[in-house]
Amino acid sequence: MKVLISVDMEGISGIVHPVETNPDRYDYERGRALMTAEANAVIAGVLEAEPTAEVLVADSHGTYRNLLPEELDRRAHLVRGKPRPLGMLGGLDEHTDAALFIGYHARAGAGPAVLAHTMSDSILDVRVAGRSLGEIGLNAAMAGHLGVPVVLLSGDDAACAELLDLVPSAGTVAVKQALGQAAAVAPHPEEARDRLRRAAAEAMTRRALVPPLTLAGPLDVEVDLSGPYMVDLATLVPGVSRAEGARTISFTAADFAEAYRLVVLLVQLSSVKPG
């Protein structure tokens, strides 16, 4: 049994503001501690149900260097740092039996939703075969391409609804109720962790009931970008063209893995500034 736990930060209980998720801001260390504690609760739940499982935890926020290695449950292996294959799903392969998305957030434009965005503030929308997908949908479909089901997601209520719209049989834990982009109602962090531990154990016992999310290729992909300079850079990639509208690019991918890699590349290009 091999399990991947992908942990983002914006969907952790108690976190509502960029000062708690940004390494340059004053409350970041507190955010890291909350993130690590929720990861540990999920590890405990997984191993409660599957004591011999190999558990990989992919640090999937920002720099991918947020979880506190010395505080992480020693029974798990930490996937840390970037760039790396599959980005937020680092460590995932076709031998993985289940994926759990912890601390995830809703896609750009969703709301009310806490800290909603899609991979980068420069990505306004990603549409695959006409369907708008955020990080939840993109990562779930990438896992599904490898035959891996997403059996559990935690985050605010908007994030949970986003996964259930794609995979109705998946488990979810809403660790906060969104009031807006930077406001929520949340239980005590220890209560949230108790819910996560129980939900992770249950998700592992019923994983056979959750199908992988599969999107068969070829796939037409459109990406709305925040600025014309990004569009200029994106169209240097073979196969990418400027679509109707000044800030939209499009391409056709042979399968979802190709689509995913190109979107991840666009995120990296978004950090390039005009020279």
Side-chain angles (χ1 to χ4, degrees):
M1 174 67 61
K2 180 179 178 181
V3 179
L4 179 78
I5 303 171
S6 174
V7 189
D8 205 349
M9 203 176 205
E10 288 89 350
I12 298 297
S13 181
I15 288 179
V16 297
H17 196 278
V19 299
E20 298 161 322
T21 65
N22 188 326
D24 298 326
R25 305 300 288 274
Y26 71 90
D27 227 2
Y28 170 68
E29 289 303 321
R30 178 170 160 275
R32 298 179 76 188
L34 291 170
M35 181 185 183
T36 305
E38 286 201 6
N40 282 338
V42 175
I43 296 167
V46 168
L47 292 175
E48 180 182 314
E50 296 286 348
T52 62
E54 176 190 2
V55 179
L56 277 71
V57 178
D59 188 326
S60 301
H61 174 70
T63 61
Y64 296 174
R65 300 191 310 273
N66 309 276
L67 290 167
L68 301 167
E70 67 277 15
E71 299 295 333
L72 196 69
D73 190 315
R74 64 186 299 168
R75 297 172 293 177
H77 291 82
L78 176 60
V79 184
R80 191 169 191 258
K82 68 191 307 184
R84 66 192 186 205
L86 298 185
M88 295 178 73
L89 300 178
L92 188 83
D93 60 27
E94 64 274 13
H95 303 295
T96 306
D97 295 284
L100 297 86
F101 293 171
I102 304 304
Y104 269 52
H105 54 80
R107 68 181 183 271
V114 176
L115 299 173
H117 65 279
T118 298
M119 292 193 173
S120 162
D121 289 340
S122 298
I123 307 291
L124 303 178
D125 192 24
V126 178
R127 294 178 296 282
V128 180
R131 184 166 195 171
S132 179
L133 297 177
E135 289 173 37
I136 291 169
L138 292 168
N139 287 331
M142 185 62 239
H145 179 76
L146 295 174
V148 182
V150 178
V151 299
L152 181 69
L153 177 140
S154 73
D156 68 10
D157 50 326
C160 292
E162 200 164 303
L163 179 65
L164 292 175
D165 184 51
L166 297 165
V167 188
S169 55
T172 61
V173 180
V175 295
K176 52 193 171 189
Q177 302 296 315
L179 298 177
Q181 179 73 4
V185 178
H188 190 281
E190 290 181 2
E191 172 62 24
R193 293 168 206 155
D194 286 345
R195 295 179 191 176
L196 286 169
R197 179 186 55 77
R198 293 193 298 268
E202 180 182 356
M204 293 307 300
T205 62
R206 59 185 304 274
R207 67 185 182 279
L209 302 177
V210 183
L213 175 62
T214 55
L215 300 178
L219 295 163
D220 292 329
V221 182
E222 290 185 316
V223 183
D224 294 339
L225 303 171
S226 62
Y229 186 72
M230 276 194 65
V231 177
D232 294 341
L233 285 174
T235 54
L236 297 177
V237 178
V240 175
S241 60
R242 194 182 302 261
E244 184 176 349
R247 64 185 185 186
T248 301
I249 58 96
S250 66
F251 59 89
T252 299
D255 56 26
F256 195 84
E258 182 177 300
Y260 187 87
R261 287 195 298 269
L262 268 171
V263 172
V264 171
L265 176 60
L266 289 173
V267 172
Q268 297 306 310
L269 289 176
S270 72
S271 64
V272 179
K273 306 302 180 185

